[in-house]
Amino acid sequence: MRVRAFSVNAGELAARSGRARLLTGRKFPQRIGLDFTGEIAALGTRATGVAVGDQVWGILGRSSGFGSAAEYVTVRPERLGRVPDGLDLVAAAALPVATTAITALRDKAALRPGERLLVRGAAGGVGNAAVQLGQAYGAEVTALARAANLDFVRTLGAHHAVDHQAVSPAELGLFDVVLDTAGTDLRTVRRMLKPGGRMVTIAIDLTRPAASLSYIVASAVHGRGRVRFFSGNPNVRSSTTSPAR
């Protein structure tokens, strides 16, 4: 596949700085980039459902690791989605952000109208998409962000914009759904769930990845509410944004 664009997110910054070396390893060269847009340049013998010249977006598989910041990549067809008509390939590089937020709120958390939604890291890529979607789905949205970004998240439709450094979790009350984009302090954030609440995280603590993943797994059997963790891969359902019923 010929790459036309890729996005730079917290994962790339962490890998570039060396903070993700427990996941990326210590050998060089170190590659960056997980998602991409481009055109299919050639097909493998068992590739189906796509054709040479198709404009697509996708995310590299776990076995590939980082590396979409390249001229060409190889990727399995099931990790590709077609770029919508009328959207250029540079703009389409933002699709993983939007579809990740859709999957988190609609499919994983089943967010319903009238519920209280907390978005942690609301000014980031996935976070700002989640604020807008949460408002569109009829939820009462509380956005956690830095003080400098509070006006920004208010313009996105947040009902409450809160400086995460100035307010303790206990002051915010309990929530039906929590979307976490930071990956740190998961135990504290999880305590903010109402009985029957749902928590979704799209990140892990890169300083303690093993402990972070272990806590997510253990949450399925201990304490209040399982923490759902997923990779925002492209799929057919990602192209619609209807809230869960």
Short mmCIF file of all heavy atoms in Angstrom, two decimals, residues 173-233:
data_model
loop_
_atom_site.label_atom_id
_atom_site.label_comp_id
_atom_site.label_asym_id
_atom_site.label_seq_id
_atom_site.Cartn_x
_atom_site.Cartn_y
_atom_site.Cartn_z
N GLY A 173 -18.64 13.80 41.36
CA GLY A 173 -19.75 12.88 41.46
C GLY A 173 -19.50 11.60 40.69
O GLY A 173 -18.37 11.29 40.30
N LEU A 174 -20.58 10.86 40.44
CA LEU A 174 -20.47 9.56 39.77
C LEU A 174 -21.04 9.65 38.36
O LEU A 174 -21.92 10.47 38.08
CB LEU A 174 -21.21 8.49 40.57
CG LEU A 174 -20.70 8.24 41.99
CD1 LEU A 174 -21.53 7.17 42.67
CD2 LEU A 174 -19.22 7.88 41.99
N PHE A 175 -20.55 8.77 37.49
CA PHE A 175 -20.92 8.81 36.07
C PHE A 175 -21.41 7.45 35.59
O PHE A 175 -20.98 6.41 36.08
CB PHE A 175 -19.71 9.26 35.24
CG PHE A 175 -19.28 10.66 35.51
CD1 PHE A 175 -18.41 10.94 36.56
CD2 PHE A 175 -19.75 11.71 34.74
CE1 PHE A 175 -18.02 12.24 36.84
CE2 PHE A 175 -19.36 13.02 35.01
CZ PHE A 175 -18.50 13.28 36.06
N ASP A 176 -22.29 7.51 34.59
CA ASP A 176 -22.75 6.28 33.95
C ASP A 176 -21.68 5.70 33.03
O ASP A 176 -21.52 4.49 32.93
CB ASP A 176 -24.02 6.55 33.13
CG ASP A 176 -25.16 7.07 33.99
OD1 ASP A 176 -25.72 6.28 34.76
OD2 ASP A 176 -25.45 8.29 33.89
N VAL A 177 -20.96 6.61 32.35
CA VAL A 177 -19.92 6.19 31.40
C VAL A 177 -18.70 7.07 31.59
O VAL A 177 -18.82 8.29 31.71
CB VAL A 177 -20.42 6.29 29.94
CG1 VAL A 177 -19.27 6.00 28.96
CG2 VAL A 177 -21.57 5.32 29.70
N VAL A 178 -17.53 6.44 31.62
CA VAL A 178 -16.26 7.16 31.65
C VAL A 178 -15.45 6.74 30.43
O VAL A 178 -15.24 5.54 30.20
CB VAL A 178 -15.46 6.86 32.93
CG1 VAL A 178 -14.07 7.49 32.85
CG2 VAL A 178 -16.20 7.38 34.16
N LEU A 179 -15.00 7.71 29.64
CA LEU A 179 -14.07 7.44 28.55
C LEU A 179 -12.72 8.04 28.93
O LEU A 179 -12.60 9.25 29.10
CB LEU A 179 -14.56 8.06 27.23
CG LEU A 179 -13.57 7.96 26.06
CD1 LEU A 179 -13.18 6.53 25.78
CD2 LEU A 179 -14.13 8.62 24.81
N ASP A 180 -11.73 7.18 29.07
CA ASP A 180 -10.39 7.59 29.50
C ASP A 180 -9.44 7.53 28.31
O ASP A 180 -9.35 6.50 27.63
CB ASP A 180 -9.90 6.67 30.61
CG ASP A 180 -8.44 6.91 30.95
OD1 ASP A 180 -8.15 7.94 31.57
OD2 ASP A 180 -7.59 6.09 30.54
N THR A 181 -8.74 8.62 28.04
CA THR A 181 -7.76 8.64 26.96
C THR A 181 -6.33 8.80 27.47
O THR A 181 -5.41 8.98 26.67
CB THR A 181 -8.06 9.77 25.95
OG1 THR A 181 -7.79 11.05 26.58
CG2 THR A 181 -9.50 9.74 25.50
N ALA A 182 -6.15 8.75 28.79
CA ALA A 182 -4.83 8.96 29.39
C ALA A 182 -4.15 7.66 29.79
O ALA A 182 -2.95 7.49 29.63
CB ALA A 182 -4.95 9.88 30.60
N GLY A 183 -4.92 6.73 30.36
CA GLY A 183 -4.36 5.44 30.75
C GLY A 183 -3.72 5.40 32.13
O GLY A 183 -3.31 4.34 32.58
N THR A 184 -3.65 6.54 32.81
CA THR A 184 -3.03 6.59 34.13
C THR A 184 -4.12 6.65 35.21
O THR A 184 -5.25 7.06 34.95
CB THR A 184 -2.12 7.83 34.26
OG1 THR A 184 -2.91 9.01 34.01
CG2 THR A 184 -0.98 7.76 33.27
N ASP A 185 -3.76 6.25 36.43
CA ASP A 185 -4.67 6.33 37.58
C ASP A 185 -6.02 5.68 37.31
O ASP A 185 -7.07 6.19 37.70
CB ASP A 185 -4.90 7.80 38.00
CG ASP A 185 -3.60 8.49 38.40
OD1 ASP A 185 -2.77 7.85 39.07
OD2 ASP A 185 -3.43 9.66 38.01
N LEU A 186 -6.00 4.53 36.63
CA LEU A 186 -7.25 3.88 36.26
C LEU A 186 -8.06 3.48 37.48
O LEU A 186 -9.30 3.53 37.46
CB LEU A 186 -6.97 2.64 35.39
CG LEU A 186 -6.35 2.91 34.02
CD1 LEU A 186 -6.16 1.59 33.27
CD2 LEU A 186 -7.20 3.87 33.20
N ARG A 187 -7.40 3.09 38.56
CA ARG A 187 -8.11 2.68 39.76
C ARG A 187 -8.95 3.84 40.32
O ARG A 187 -10.11 3.67 40.68
CB ARG A 187 -7.11 2.18 40.81
CG ARG A 187 -7.76 1.54 42.04
CD ARG A 187 -6.68 1.16 43.05
NE ARG A 187 -5.67 0.31 42.46
CZ ARG A 187 -5.77 -1.02 42.39
NH1 ARG A 187 -6.85 -1.63 42.87
NH2 ARG A 187 -4.80 -1.73 41.85
N THR A 188 -8.34 5.03 40.37
CA THR A 188 -9.05 6.20 40.88
C THR A 188 -10.21 6.57 39.97
O THR A 188 -11.33 6.86 40.44
CB THR A 188 -8.08 7.40 40.99
OG1 THR A 188 -7.04 7.07 41.91
CG2 THR A 188 -8.81 8.65 41.47
N VAL A 189 -9.97 6.57 38.68
CA VAL A 189 -11.02 6.95 37.73
C VAL A 189 -12.17 5.95 37.77
O VAL A 189 -13.34 6.33 37.68
CB VAL A 189 -10.43 7.06 36.31
CG1 VAL A 189 -11.52 7.39 35.30
CG2 VAL A 189 -9.33 8.11 36.26
N ARG A 190 -11.86 4.69 37.93
CA ARG A 190 -12.89 3.66 37.95
C ARG A 190 -13.85 3.83 39.12
O ARG A 190 -15.02 3.47 39.03
CB ARG A 190 -12.21 2.29 38.01
CG ARG A 190 -13.15 1.09 37.87
CD ARG A 190 -12.33 -0.17 37.98
NE ARG A 190 -13.14 -1.36 38.01
CZ ARG A 190 -12.78 -2.49 38.59
NH1 ARG A 190 -11.60 -2.56 39.21
NH2 ARG A 190 -13.56 -3.55 38.58
N ARG A 191 -13.36 4.38 40.21
CA ARG A 191 -14.23 4.61 41.38
C ARG A 191 -15.30 5.67 41.10
O ARG A 191 -16.20 5.86 41.92
CB ARG A 191 -13.38 5.03 42.58
CG ARG A 191 -12.43 3.95 43.08
CD ARG A 191 -11.87 4.32 44.44
NE ARG A 191 -10.87 3.37 44.89
CZ ARG A 191 -9.56 3.61 44.94
NH1 ARG A 191 -9.10 4.80 44.57
NH2 ARG A 191 -8.73 2.68 45.36
N MET A 192 -15.20 6.37 39.99
CA MET A 192 -16.17 7.41 39.65
C MET A 192 -17.39 6.85 38.93
O MET A 192 -18.28 7.60 38.52
CB MET A 192 -15.49 8.49 38.80
CG MET A 192 -14.30 9.13 39.49
SD MET A 192 -13.35 10.22 38.42
CE MET A 192 -14.48 11.62 38.30
N LEU A 193 -17.45 5.54 38.76
CA LEU A 193 -18.59 4.92 38.08
C LEU A 193 -19.76 4.71 39.04
O LEU A 193 -19.59 4.28 40.18
CB LEU A 193 -18.18 3.56 37.51
CG LEU A 193 -17.28 3.54 36.27
CD1 LEU A 193 -16.91 2.10 35.94
CD2 LEU A 193 -17.96 4.21 35.09
N LYS A 194 -20.95 4.94 38.53
CA LYS A 194 -22.15 4.56 39.24
C LYS A 194 -22.29 3.04 39.21
O LYS A 194 -21.67 2.37 38.37
CB LYS A 194 -23.39 5.16 38.56
CG LYS A 194 -23.51 6.67 38.63
CD LYS A 194 -24.80 7.10 37.93
CE LYS A 194 -24.99 8.61 37.98
NZ LYS A 194 -26.24 9.02 37.29
N PRO A 195 -23.09 2.46 40.09
CA PRO A 195 -23.40 1.02 39.96
C PRO A 195 -23.98 0.76 38.57
O PRO A 195 -24.89 1.45 38.11
CB PRO A 195 -24.44 0.79 41.05
CG PRO A 195 -24.15 1.84 42.08
CD PRO A 195 -23.72 3.05 41.29
N GLY A 196 -23.43 -0.21 37.88
CA GLY A 196 -23.86 -0.48 36.51
C GLY A 196 -23.20 0.41 35.48
O GLY A 196 -23.51 0.33 34.29
N GLY A 197 -22.27 1.27 35.92
CA GLY A 197 -21.57 2.15 35.00
C GLY A 197 -20.57 1.40 34.13
O GLY A 197 -20.17 0.27 34.44
N ARG A 198 -20.15 2.05 33.04
CA ARG A 198 -19.22 1.43 32.10
C ARG A 198 -18.02 2.35 31.88
O ARG A 198 -18.20 3.55 31.69
CB ARG A 198 -19.88 1.16 30.74
CG ARG A 198 -20.97 0.11 30.78
CD ARG A 198 -22.32 0.68 31.14
NE ARG A 198 -22.88 1.53 30.09
CZ ARG A 198 -23.85 2.40 30.30
NH1 ARG A 198 -24.36 2.59 31.51
NH2 ARG A 198 -24.31 3.14 29.29
N MET A 199 -16.84 1.77 31.89
CA MET A 199 -15.62 2.55 31.67
C MET A 199 -14.85 1.97 30.49
O MET A 199 -14.66 0.76 30.38
CB MET A 199 -14.73 2.53 32.91
CG MET A 199 -13.41 3.27 32.73
SD MET A 199 -12.51 3.39 34.29
CE MET A 199 -10.92 3.99 33.71
N VAL A 200 -14.45 2.86 29.59
CA VAL A 200 -13.67 2.46 28.42
C VAL A 200 -12.38 3.27 28.42
O VAL A 200 -12.40 4.49 28.60
CB VAL A 200 -14.44 2.74 27.10
CG1 VAL A 200 -13.61 2.30 25.90
CG2 VAL A 200 -15.79 2.03 27.11
N THR A 201 -11.25 2.59 28.23
CA THR A 201 -9.99 3.30 28.08
C THR A 201 -9.36 2.92 26.75
O THR A 201 -9.48 1.77 26.29
CB THR A 201 -9.02 2.98 29.24
OG1 THR A 201 -7.82 3.75 29.07
CG2 THR A 201 -8.66 1.50 29.29
N ILE A 202 -8.72 3.88 26.12
CA ILE A 202 -8.05 3.61 24.84
C ILE A 202 -6.53 3.71 25.00
O ILE A 202 -5.80 3.70 24.01
CB ILE A 202 -8.51 4.58 23.74
CG1 ILE A 202 -8.16 6.03 24.12
CG2 ILE A 202 -10.00 4.43 23.48
CD1 ILE A 202 -8.25 6.99 22.96
N ALA A 203 -6.06 3.84 26.26
CA ALA A 203 -4.64 4.03 26.50
C ALA A 203 -4.21 3.23 27.72
O ALA A 203 -5.04 2.84 28.54
CB ALA A 203 -4.33 5.51 26.71
N ILE A 204 -2.93 2.98 27.82
CA ILE A 204 -2.36 2.37 29.01
C ILE A 204 -1.24 3.27 29.52
O ILE A 204 -0.74 4.13 28.79
CB ILE A 204 -1.80 0.96 28.74
CG1 ILE A 204 -0.69 1.00 27.69
CG2 ILE A 204 -2.91 0.01 28.32
CD1 ILE A 204 0.02 -0.31 27.50
N ASP A 205 -0.88 3.08 30.77
CA ASP A 205 0.20 3.85 31.38
C ASP A 205 1.53 3.35 30.81
O ASP A 205 1.96 2.23 31.10
CB ASP A 205 0.17 3.67 32.89
CG ASP A 205 1.17 4.57 33.62
OD1 ASP A 205 2.05 5.14 32.95
OD2 ASP A 205 1.06 4.69 34.85
N LEU A 206 2.16 4.15 29.96
CA LEU A 206 3.38 3.71 29.28
C LEU A 206 4.57 3.60 30.22
O LEU A 206 5.57 2.99 29.87
CB LEU A 206 3.71 4.68 28.13
CG LEU A 206 2.72 4.65 26.96
CD1 LEU A 206 3.07 5.73 25.95
CD2 LEU A 206 2.69 3.28 26.31
N THR A 207 4.47 4.17 31.41
CA THR A 207 5.55 4.01 32.38
C THR A 207 5.43 2.68 33.11
O THR A 207 6.42 2.20 33.68
CB THR A 207 5.55 5.16 33.41
OG1 THR A 207 4.32 5.12 34.17
CG2 THR A 207 5.67 6.50 32.71
N ARG A 208 4.20 2.11 33.13
CA ARG A 208 3.97 0.82 33.80
C ARG A 208 2.98 0.01 32.97
O ARG A 208 1.88 -0.32 33.43
CB ARG A 208 3.42 1.05 35.21
CG ARG A 208 4.32 1.91 36.09
CD ARG A 208 3.66 2.32 37.40
NE ARG A 208 3.34 1.16 38.23
CZ ARG A 208 2.11 0.84 38.63
NH1 ARG A 208 1.08 1.58 38.27
NH2 ARG A 208 1.91 -0.21 39.40
N PRO A 209 3.34 -0.35 31.73
CA PRO A 209 2.37 -1.01 30.85
C PRO A 209 1.86 -2.35 31.36
O PRO A 209 0.68 -2.66 31.23
CB PRO A 209 3.13 -1.15 29.53
CG PRO A 209 4.57 -1.07 29.90
CD PRO A 209 4.63 -0.14 31.06
N ALA A 210 2.75 -3.16 31.94
CA ALA A 210 2.33 -4.48 32.42
C ALA A 210 1.32 -4.34 33.56
O ALA A 210 0.28 -5.02 33.58
CB ALA A 210 3.54 -5.28 32.89
N ALA A 211 1.59 -3.44 34.50
CA ALA A 211 0.67 -3.23 35.62
C ALA A 211 -0.65 -2.66 35.13
O ALA A 211 -1.73 -3.03 35.62
CB ALA A 211 1.31 -2.29 36.64
N SER A 212 -0.59 -1.76 34.16
CA SER A 212 -1.80 -1.14 33.63
C SER A 212 -2.68 -2.19 32.95
O SER A 212 -3.90 -2.25 33.20
CB SER A 212 -1.42 -0.04 32.64
OG SER A 212 -2.55 0.67 32.19
N LEU A 213 -2.09 -3.03 32.12
CA LEU A 213 -2.85 -4.07 31.43
C LEU A 213 -3.40 -5.10 32.42
O LEU A 213 -4.52 -5.59 32.26
CB LEU A 213 -1.98 -4.75 30.37
CG LEU A 213 -1.68 -3.90 29.13
CD1 LEU A 213 -0.64 -4.59 28.26
CD2 LEU A 213 -2.96 -3.66 28.32
N SER A 214 -2.60 -5.42 33.44
CA SER A 214 -3.06 -6.38 34.45
C SER A 214 -4.28 -5.85 35.19
O SER A 214 -5.22 -6.60 35.48
CB SER A 214 -1.93 -6.67 35.44
OG SER A 214 -0.85 -7.31 34.80
N TYR A 215 -4.28 -4.57 35.49
CA TYR A 215 -5.43 -3.98 36.19
C TYR A 215 -6.67 -4.03 35.31
O TYR A 215 -7.78 -4.32 35.80
CB TYR A 215 -5.14 -2.54 36.60
CG TYR A 215 -6.30 -1.91 37.33
CD1 TYR A 215 -6.58 -2.23 38.65
CD2 TYR A 215 -7.15 -1.02 36.67
CE1 TYR A 215 -7.67 -1.68 39.31
CE2 TYR A 215 -8.25 -0.47 37.33
CZ TYR A 215 -8.49 -0.80 38.65
OH TYR A 215 -9.57 -0.27 39.30
N ILE A 216 -6.52 -3.74 34.02
CA ILE A 216 -7.66 -3.79 33.10
C ILE A 216 -8.25 -5.20 33.06
O ILE A 216 -9.47 -5.39 33.11
CB ILE A 216 -7.23 -3.33 31.69
CG1 ILE A 216 -6.91 -1.84 31.71
CG2 ILE A 216 -8.33 -3.62 30.67
CD1 ILE A 216 -6.26 -1.33 30.43
N VAL A 217 -7.38 -6.22 32.99
CA VAL A 217 -7.86 -7.61 32.97
C VAL A 217 -8.54 -7.96 34.28
O VAL A 217 -9.63 -8.55 34.31
CB VAL A 217 -6.68 -8.56 32.69
CG1 VAL A 217 -7.12 -10.01 32.85
CG2 VAL A 217 -6.13 -8.33 31.29
N ALA A 218 -7.93 -7.57 35.40
CA ALA A 218 -8.48 -7.90 36.72
C ALA A 218 -9.81 -7.21 36.97
O ALA A 218 -10.63 -7.70 37.75
CB ALA A 218 -7.48 -7.53 37.81
N SER A 219 -10.06 -6.08 36.31
CA SER A 219 -11.30 -5.34 36.54
C SER A 219 -12.53 -6.13 36.14
O SER A 219 -13.65 -5.82 36.58
CB SER A 219 -11.27 -4.01 35.77
OG SER A 219 -11.44 -4.23 34.37
N ALA A 220 -12.35 -7.17 35.33
CA ALA A 220 -13.50 -7.97 34.90
C ALA A 220 -14.10 -8.78 36.04
O ALA A 220 -15.26 -9.18 35.98
CB ALA A 220 -13.09 -8.91 33.77
N VAL A 221 -13.31 -9.01 37.10
CA VAL A 221 -13.80 -9.85 38.20
C VAL A 221 -13.73 -9.17 39.56
O VAL A 221 -14.26 -9.68 40.53
CB VAL A 221 -13.02 -11.19 38.27
CG1 VAL A 221 -13.32 -12.04 37.06
CG2 VAL A 221 -11.51 -10.93 38.37
N HIS A 222 -13.07 -8.01 39.65
CA HIS A 222 -12.93 -7.34 40.94
C HIS A 222 -13.45 -5.91 40.87
O HIS A 222 -13.16 -5.19 39.91
CB HIS A 222 -11.46 -7.31 41.38
CG HIS A 222 -10.88 -8.67 41.61
ND1 HIS A 222 -11.26 -9.48 42.66
CD2 HIS A 222 -9.94 -9.37 40.91
CE1 HIS A 222 -10.59 -10.61 42.61
NE2 HIS A 222 -9.80 -10.58 41.56
N GLY A 223 -14.20 -5.51 41.88
CA GLY A 223 -14.58 -4.11 42.01
C GLY A 223 -15.75 -3.71 41.13
O GLY A 223 -16.46 -4.54 40.56
N ARG A 224 -15.94 -2.41 41.01
CA ARG A 224 -17.10 -1.84 40.33
C ARG A 224 -16.82 -1.62 38.86
O ARG A 224 -16.02 -0.76 38.48
CB ARG A 224 -17.48 -0.51 40.98
CG ARG A 224 -18.67 0.18 40.30
CD ARG A 224 -18.87 1.57 40.86
NE ARG A 224 -19.27 1.53 42.26
CZ ARG A 224 -19.34 2.61 43.03
NH1 ARG A 224 -19.00 3.79 42.53
NH2 ARG A 224 -19.72 2.51 44.28
N GLY A 225 -17.47 -2.39 38.01
CA GLY A 225 -17.41 -2.10 36.57
C GLY A 225 -16.15 -2.58 35.89
O GLY A 225 -15.06 -2.28 36.32
N ARG A 226 -16.30 -3.32 34.82
CA ARG A 226 -15.16 -3.77 34.04
C ARG A 226 -14.63 -2.62 33.19
O ARG A 226 -15.39 -1.85 32.63
CB ARG A 226 -15.57 -4.93 33.12
CG ARG A 226 -14.47 -5.43 32.21
CD ARG A 226 -14.89 -6.72 31.54
NE ARG A 226 -15.99 -6.53 30.62
CZ ARG A 226 -15.85 -6.23 29.33
NH1 ARG A 226 -14.63 -6.05 28.82
NH2 ARG A 226 -16.90 -6.10 28.55
N VAL A 227 -13.31 -2.51 33.11
CA VAL A 227 -12.68 -1.51 32.25
C VAL A 227 -12.50 -2.14 30.87
O VAL A 227 -11.80 -3.13 30.71
CB VAL A 227 -11.31 -1.06 32.81
CG1 VAL A 227 -10.68 -0.03 31.88
CG2 VAL A 227 -11.47 -0.50 34.21
N ARG A 228 -13.12 -1.55 29.89
CA ARG A 228 -13.03 -2.07 28.52
C ARG A 228 -11.88 -1.38 27.80
O ARG A 228 -11.73 -0.17 27.86
CB ARG A 228 -14.35 -1.84 27.78
CG ARG A 228 -15.53 -2.56 28.39
CD ARG A 228 -16.84 -1.92 28.00
NE ARG A 228 -18.00 -2.66 28.46
CZ ARG A 228 -18.52 -2.55 29.67
NH1 ARG A 228 -17.99 -1.72 30.56
NH2 ARG A 228 -19.58 -3.26 30.01
N PHE A 229 -11.08 -2.19 27.09
CA PHE A 229 -9.92 -1.68 26.36
C PHE A 229 -9.98 -2.27 24.96
O PHE A 229 -10.28 -3.46 24.79
CB PHE A 229 -8.63 -2.09 27.07
CG PHE A 229 -7.38 -1.63 26.37
CD1 PHE A 229 -6.99 -0.30 26.44
CD2 PHE A 229 -6.59 -2.52 25.66
CE1 PHE A 229 -5.83 0.14 25.80
CE2 PHE A 229 -5.43 -2.09 25.02
CZ PHE A 229 -5.06 -0.77 25.09
N PHE A 230 -9.70 -1.46 23.93
CA PHE A 230 -9.80 -1.97 22.57
C PHE A 230 -8.90 -1.18 21.63
O PHE A 230 -8.42 -0.10 21.97
CB PHE A 230 -11.25 -1.89 22.07
CG PHE A 230 -11.72 -0.48 21.80
CD1 PHE A 230 -11.73 0.03 20.52
CD2 PHE A 230 -12.13 0.34 22.85
CE1 PHE A 230 -12.14 1.34 20.28
CE2 PHE A 230 -12.55 1.64 22.62
CZ PHE A 230 -12.56 2.14 21.33
N SER A 231 -8.71 -1.73 20.44
CA SER A 231 -7.98 -1.06 19.37
C SER A 231 -9.00 -0.57 18.35
O SER A 231 -9.88 -1.32 17.93
CB SER A 231 -6.99 -2.02 18.71
OG SER A 231 -6.40 -1.44 17.56
N GLY A 232 -8.90 0.70 17.94
CA GLY A 232 -9.89 1.28 17.04
C GLY A 232 -9.65 0.93 15.59
O GLY A 232 -9.41 1.80 14.76
N ASN A 233 -9.75 -0.36 15.25
CA ASN A 233 -9.52 -0.79 13.89
C ASN A 233 -10.68 -0.39 12.98
O ASN A 233 -11.82 -0.31 13.43
CB ASN A 233 -9.36 -2.32 13.83
CG ASN A 233 -8.20 -2.79 14.66
OD1 ASN A 233 -7.21 -2.09 14.80
ND2 ASN A 233 -8.32 -3.98 15.23
#
